[in-house]
Amino acid sequence: MNVDETVRAIKSMEIRGAGRIARAAAATLGELAVSKDWKSISEMRRDILNAKKELISSRPTAVSLMNGVQSTLKGFNECGTVKDAKALIIKNSEDFIKASNEAVTKIGIIGSRRIKDGAVIMTHCNSSAALECIKAAHRSGKKIKVYATESRPWRQGILTVNELAKEGIDVTLIIDGAVRSVMKKVDIVMVGADTITSNGAVINKIGTSQLALAANESHVPFVVCGETYKISPQSLFGDMVTIEERDIGEIVKKGEISGNVKVFNPVFDSTPAKYIDAIVTEAGIISPGSVYEIMMRQFGDITFE
Ligand code: RUB
């Protein structure tokens, strides 16, 4: 896909999920480097910079997107020739996609160890990292049961239940309002992450923080599953994560409500570190308090523009 097509697909949710959009952006930059022949490095810089801006702005909340783009362009500014820059971007893009896919597999193996035989799990929205843990637990022979939230308004819960049912997992769809009532039956909550901040807060699909509160009330462990490139280095400098607001048409149909009713459609929320028991990353299971350390290890050598 070219840059415009990828941006359109991300904005329209055709490509969604923090990991997938990051890989799509990396692949698009790689394809741009393969397909275009620039006459000069300055011409290439201008195009790549524009592509970077457009891709990053297509979903403002998921830092995975920014980090995927940054990883793909790592070292680009130091390249003196178009040939070198093209080779670098193509390699970085392939490396990022490979590492990102491998990270999900590793998270699955590591996270599945937190799921006991006979466990009842609750998940929210549709996170490949969280679902990989659940699938790995099932594949290892554990008898598990999953409650998956519908996740209005896009109803990604439908994707989740179909994906888990296809694997032969016992899965039940619940509406978002049923979370607190069903939590009494649950042994562990596993969700994904769009962004993890330096102080261990997690930004994920709207409603995630309600699962965390209900889990806390019922003394149910609340576990986040996310690749280390979901960590936001900018959050260290106090940058607030932008919570994307989407069209009100996702919630109400035209003419359904009176003209003077306001509708608010934030699509992500932030769960404070105090409600999170563990974060499963490809580097191991960490406490929200250890995010800073992982962040320095991961991003210590990257300069952010
Ligand atoms: C998806 C969502 C997922 C995270 C993590 O929201 O909130 O939990 O993106 O997903 P949306 P993954 O459907 O709006 O993108 O683990 O697949 O990266």
Side-chain angles (χ1 to χ4, degrees):
M1 281 206 236
N2 67 32
V3 175
D4 287 348
E5 286 166 344
T6 303
V7 167
R8 242 195 325 272
I10 293 176
K11 283 187 175 165
S12 66
M13 304 278 286
E14 202 184 303
I15 304 175
R16 46 145 302 281
R20 283 192 197 94
I21 59 177
R23 287 189 290 275
T28 300
L29 288 170
E31 275 171 42
L32 180 61
V34 169
S35 62
K36 193 149 179 186
D37 277 320
W38 290 275
K39 289 196 182 68
S40 68
I41 188 77
S42 54
E43 227 177 70
M44 181 178 185
R45 283 218 170 93
R46 191 201 51 215
D47 279 3
I48 294 289
L49 205 69
N50 282 340
K52 172 183 168 177
K53 277 192 198 137
E54 274 189 59
L55 287 165
I56 288 176
S57 64
S58 61
R59 286 218 83 184
T61 303
V63 79
S64 55
L65 184 56
M66 154 95 86
N67 287 340
V69 168
Q70 294 274 19
S71 290
T72 307
L73 300 182
K74 196 175 169 186
F76 172 61
N77 287 341
E78 283 74 62
C79 290
T81 65
V82 170
K83 190 173 170 238
D84 287 353
K86 279 172 84 116
L88 175 110
I89 292 176
I90 294 163
K91 179 164 188 328
N92 283 352
S93 158
E94 286 167 0
D95 288 352
F96 175 79
I97 294 167
K98 184 167 177 280
S100 165
N101 283 322
E102 283 171 3
V104 175
T105 308
K106 277 189 203 155
I107 288 172
I109 295 165
I110 298 168
S112 68
R113 296 189 195 124
R114 283 285 162 122
I115 301 173
K116 295 198 178 95
D117 192 16
V120 178
I121 307 151
M122 184 183 283
T123 190
H124 186 52
C125 196
N126 181 260
S127 154
S128 6
L131 296 193
E132 198 55 35
C133 298
I134 295 170
K135 288 181 199 167
H138 172 74
R139 285 185 205 127
S140 73
K142 290 175 188 167
K143 295 224 168 343
I144 54 171
K145 184 176 161 68
V146 179
Y147 285 102
T149 56
E150 181 187 12
S151 309
R152 284 252 316 141
W154 273 84
R155 307 182 77 218
Q156 291 92 330
I158 302 293
L159 298 173
T160 294
V161 290
N162 285 334
E163 199 175 323
L164 295 180
K166 201 169 153 204
E167 290 268 328
I169 296 171
D170 178 348
V171 60
T172 306
L173 181 71
I174 57 170
I175 59 165
D176 301 322
V179 162
R180 185 163 176 251
S181 138
V182 173
M183 194 60 78
K184 295 176 191 80
K185 306 174 199 251
V186 171
D187 299 303
I188 185 167
V189 176
M190 284 188 143
V191 296
D194 281 80
T195 294
I196 302 169
T197 66
S198 58
N199 64 2
V202 167
I203 290 83
N204 192 51
K205 180 54 54 194
I206 190 82
T208 302
S209 64
Q210 290 175 163
L211 269 77
L213 281 179
N216 185 265
E217 180 193 45
S218 296
H219 306 289
V220 172
F222 184 87
V223 175
V224 173
C225 311
E227 304 86 318
T228 49
Y229 68 85
K230 310 250 175 98
I231 297 175
S232 162
Q234 289 80 5
S235 64
L236 187 61
F237 308 108
D239 279 17
M240 300 298 282
V241 177
T242 308
I243 301 292
E244 182 185 355
E245 286 170 35
R246 292 183 63 91
D247 198 276
I248 63 168
E250 292 181 352
I251 303 182
V252 283
K253 293 190 201 86
K254 223 173 176 193
E256 203 174 29
I257 48 168
S258 114
N260 38 19
V261 174
K262 296 188 195 94
V263 180
F264 179 41
N265 184 20
V267 292
F268 296 99
D269 68 16
S270 174
T271 301
K274 66 176 176 181
Y275 296 110
I276 300 168
D277 292 280
I279 303 177
V280 184
T281 76
E282 74 279 14
I285 297 184
I286 59 167
S287 74
S290 310
V291 171
Y292 174 78
E293 206 186 305
I294 299 282
M295 178 190 285
M296 294 320 282
R297 218 189 291 163
Q298 186 88 351
F299 301 108
D301 61 340
I302 290 187
T303 319
F304 290 91
E305 290 149 19

